[in-house]
Amino acid sequence: MEQLRVQTEKALQEMLPSGWRVPSRLSEAVRYSLDAGGKRLRPILTLASAESVAGCASAREKALPFAAAVEMVHTYSLIHDDLPAMDNDDFRRGRPTNHKVFGEAMAILAGDGLLTHAFYVAAQAVGRGVPAERTVAVVAELARYAGLPGMVGGQADDMMGEQGITSLEDLENIHLHKTSDLIVFSLRAGGHASEANERQLEALGLFGRNVGLAFQILDDILDLTGDEKKLGKPLKSDERQGKVTYPYLIGLDESRRRVARLTDEAIAAVGSAGLADAQPLIRIANVMMSRDH
Amino acid sequence: MEQLRVQTEKALQEMLPSGWRVPSRLSEAVRYSLDAGGKRLRPILTLASAESVAGCASAREKALPFAAAVEMVHTYSLIHDDLPAMDNDDFRRGRPTNHKVFGEAMAILAGDGLLTHAFYVAAQAVGRGVPAERTVAVVAELARYAGLPGMVGGQADDMMGEQGITSLEDLENIHLHKTSDLIVFSLRAGGHASEANERQLEALGLFGRNVGLAFQILDDILDLTGDEKKLGKPLKSDERQGKVTYPYLIGLDESRRRVARLTDEAIAAVGSAGLADAQPLIRIANVMMSRDH
């Protein structure tokens, strides 16, 4: 995973606009958030997906534009989510949020610019040998999974439902769109880069859906039972913010069983989809679900 | 032009998400701004460009996804520009702005969703017979002209320079990105839909650059000399807001000469680029520059 993370970091640097004039303050705001680190989970999944379908590590090269694009979309969504009108967060990953440093207007523009640039970067896949038809398909999928029926829709649902979530179905629906959709895209985009067939793409999507949900449930569990030092934030912040979580709705034990079941199903899906080598994806699923922060 | 506008309106309705679940309040916010009308100048130029390159009206069909996409991008930019942290406008086209009706958070998400959906719509051009290679090129150009080195960059420059613009060069640079870039895209996208060659694309881009600048200068002139009733807003609003304009920097007469010169150059560019029939574009340029509102 470390190797994939390093490859992602390099691609992110290379794929920022260069040779074009971008106002320097806007550039700084974009880099501030993009360089803030994080797990780079989504691009790592894109690269692992491309490798699993093709059965060789060199297949990741073609998928790099999609990997960089998905991280740019994820980063823009964090910048906009942190805005005063949205979650109004002052800190992220131990640093002041984008609008705290650059002001609200610049943070809005940095988010808009990153989202837009993600599509430029995705389109560059044709230059690495991904067929144009596949590249267009990935553009459409990015727009769908990140857009109105996907991540943006999930964010709107979350915002509107904040007080009124009472059922597991409501909660799952929000996470499916707010979190899983972009992870589903990450997997499918890697698959397209290696010219996966329809059956493989569906299995990759199911893997992403389940891993995304399990990831979210584990976040909720760690907020109650984790180690404050490793998490880098105080425990029980969900409770204090009045957030409806999986443990709140179904208890800790059932939440843990759900993580295990979703992970098993994810692994089974890619294990039986006729991928050249499902191991890169299976390894990541296991690492993700045994994390303690 | 009316025919092209009607075609655009129909495409905009057809190309909004359907069959996917989008939160209803988010859908309403998107439609509120998209249905607000306006001149639909950019999509009209896309359709006229496709027609001019191919020499027949039926060529517009292929360009409809690009036409709808550019209007969605333009609409998102207005929603975000009006936000309190940006221009803080309460009214647009005589109606309350998006955030005044739906709240700031929903307006941010509606803008994000429209921008994202524009790329979904552009990608649908392959289904109308535009080659995948051309469609990928259009996606990359939309991201470039609307993005960090384009419209978003121009908006950032405008915001940062608001007090300090003293030269015509500064002012022109802002308008080239804030306004002209998306118009350049509109023209080139129509060209790509009709498989224009490199020379034709360059001429279409120059037409867009000049028409975009002339359009902006004419806006500045009308703010000083227009008819309040036709404009739908009080005169001299630029002066009251302390905006630096072309008439302010170079006077009314020189501003008028500049509009005429830019229009002539735009018409000359498409007149000598070997288009099948430059007339649809030339007619629009003339209509645009003789407008009184």
Side-chain angles (χ1 to χ4, degrees), chain A residues 17 20-23 25-26 30 76 80 83 85-86 104-106 108-110 112-117 119-120 123-124 126 132-133 135-136 139-140 142-144 146-149 152-157 159-160 173 177, chain B residues 17 20-23 25-26 30 76 80 83 85-86 104-106 108-110 112-117 119-120 123-124 126 132-133 135-136 139-140 142-144 146-149 152-157 159-160 173 177:
Chain A
W20 294 335
R21 210 193 65 83
V22 176
R25 194 74 181 150
L26 179 62
V30 163
Y76 115 78
H80 281 191
L83 286 168
M86 307 278 283
E104 268 184 72
M106 197 56 83
I108 293 169
L109 291 172
D112 292 344
L114 259 175
L115 167 58
T116 310
H117 193 63
F119 287 96
Y120 180 83
Q124 303 311 305
V126 284
E133 288 75 12
T135 304
V136 173
V139 164
L142 179 54
R144 176 180 164 184
L148 293 168
V152 170
Q155 180 67 19
D157 267 335
M159 218 183 59
M160 288 181 297
N173 187 51
H177 293 300
Chain B
W20 294 336
R21 210 193 64 83
V22 176
R25 194 73 181 151
L26 179 62
V30 164
Y76 115 78
H80 281 191
L83 286 168
M86 308 278 283
E104 269 184 72
M106 198 55 84
I108 293 169
L109 290 172
D112 292 345
L114 260 174
L115 167 57
T116 310
H117 193 64
F119 287 96
Y120 180 84
Q124 304 311 307
V126 284
E133 289 74 13
T135 304
V136 173
V139 164
L142 178 54
R144 177 181 164 184
L148 292 167
V152 170
Q155 180 68 19
D157 266 335
M159 218 182 59
M160 287 181 298
N173 186 51
H177 294 299

Side-chain angles (χ1 to χ4, degrees), chain A residues 13-212:
Chain A
Q13 292 306 319
E14 283 173 12
M15 291 176 191
L16 278 172
S18 66
W20 294 335
R21 210 193 65 83
V22 176
S24 56
R25 194 74 181 150
L26 179 62
S27 241
E28 281 170 42
V30 163
R31 281 173 191 274
Y32 177 81
S33 290
L34 207 57
D35 293 350
K39 304 181 200 66
R40 309 298 195 197
L41 174 66
R42 290 157 192 79
I44 287 173
L45 285 169
T46 300
L47 300 182
S49 175
E51 183 176 351
S52 281
V53 171
C56 66
S58 64
R60 292 181 216 143
E61 286 292 325
K62 284 187 182 180
L64 278 171
F66 302 150
V70 76
E71 189 66 10
M72 287 176 186
V73 169
H74 175 58
T75 303
Y76 115 78
S77 77
L78 300 181
I79 298 174
H80 281 191
D81 281 5
D82 288 337
L83 286 168
M86 307 278 283
D87 291 350
N88 194 22
D89 281 319
D90 292 350
F91 288 92
R92 177 172 291 277
R93 293 172 188 152
R95 301 198 314 165
T97 45
N98 198 292
H99 64 273
K100 280 284 161 188
V101 179
F102 297 93
E104 268 184 72
M106 197 56 83
I108 293 169
L109 291 172
D112 292 344
L114 259 175
L115 167 58
T116 310
H117 193 63
F119 287 96
Y120 180 83
V121 167
Q124 303 311 305
V126 284
R128 291 181 182 248
V130 179
E133 288 75 12
R134 292 280 185 167
T135 304
V136 173
V138 170
V139 164
E141 290 190 14
L142 179 54
R144 176 180 164 184
Y145 287 112
L148 293 168
M151 187 181 71
V152 170
Q155 180 67 19
D157 267 335
D158 191 22
M159 218 183 59
M160 288 181 297
E162 254 156 18
Q163 309 310 321
I165 301 170
T166 51
S167 73
L168 196 61
E169 203 189 332
D170 285 353
L171 185 66
E172 189 168 283
N173 187 51
I174 287 173
H175 289 309
L176 273 178
H177 293 300
K178 202 179 157 181
T179 307
S180 280
D181 272 355
L182 201 59
I183 296 181
V184 168
F185 167 78
S186 304
L187 272 295
R188 290 181 57 98
H192 278 300
S194 292
E195 303 186 44
N197 62 34
E198 202 47 58
R199 178 181 155 223
Q200 293 170 328
L201 289 170
E202 266 181 38
L204 292 167
L206 183 57
F207 178 93
R209 175 195 179 280
N210 281 12
V211 161

